[in-house]
Amino acid sequence: MPTWIVTHSEFLCNFLLPLLADFSPAQVRHALNFIEALLVCSAKHKTLAALTRLLRLNHADQFALADFFRVSPWSGEEVRFKVTLFILKVVAEIQAKTGWRLLFLSLDDSLGRKDIATHKLQAVSLHFDHVQQRRQKGQYTNGSKHIALHLQLGPVQFLLRWRPYYKRTQ
């Protein structure tokens, strides 16, 4: 199988490289490869195995990619803070170019439906589903619920925060 030569987009590198300042060159390569694969992957399930198969690189290994996420040098809160700052800078640039001034913040909860047999994941359980109209099964859907905070400027919308909802366990 021929090896693909992956050229990362300039916009993606400009966004990610400041966030990856503390990474080694191998970690930066893993991060860029993973995000590029995630953006272009058309598979229904974007698993680490599917993404590494898409990369077709000799050094691409799903276990190395899993280790990259499990043993990572970054703090999640620090990355979220830097991404939020980046988004706010982009919003300010859009406002300067377009003259749009009206900003909206929206908080939304969503339910991602899962197969009824899925039950070993912490975020998956039965949740009340006000959208689904059922007479015999009740209005509960097996799925994972998440809460998202969006910032909207004109027709442009940005996801600021995303958090899974976990039911309290006894």
Side-chain angles (χ1 to χ4, degrees), residues 31-98:
L32 290 173
N33 286 343
F34 171 75
I35 292 172
E36 287 278 356
L38 192 61
L39 291 173
V40 300
C41 183
S42 61
K44 181 178 178 183
H45 301 288
K46 292 180 172 70
T47 62
L48 292 180
L51 294 174
T52 52
R53 275 194 306 272
L54 177 74
L55 289 173
R56 295 186 190 175
L57 298 171
N58 292 335
H59 65 273
D61 175 284
Q62 66 200 37
F63 301 109
L65 201 53
D67 288 342
F68 167 72
F69 287 108
R70 191 173 41 256
V71 186
S72 55
W74 67 80
S75 153
E77 194 55 42
E78 182 182 337
V79 171
R80 275 189 289 278
F81 179 74
K82 288 181 179 180
V83 168
T84 302
L85 279 179
F86 179 80
I87 289 172
L88 293 176
K89 286 178 186 175
V90 168
V91 166
E93 289 175 11
I94 292 172
Q95 280 183 321
K97 288 180 183 176
T98 63

Side-chain angles (χ1 to χ4, degrees), residues 94-112:
I94 292 172
Q95 280 183 321
K97 288 180 183 176
T98 63
W100 296 332
R101 297 285 174 234
L102 198 54
L103 287 172
F104 291 100
L105 278 176
S106 64
L107 188 63
D108 186 29
D109 65 331
S110 297
L111 184 65

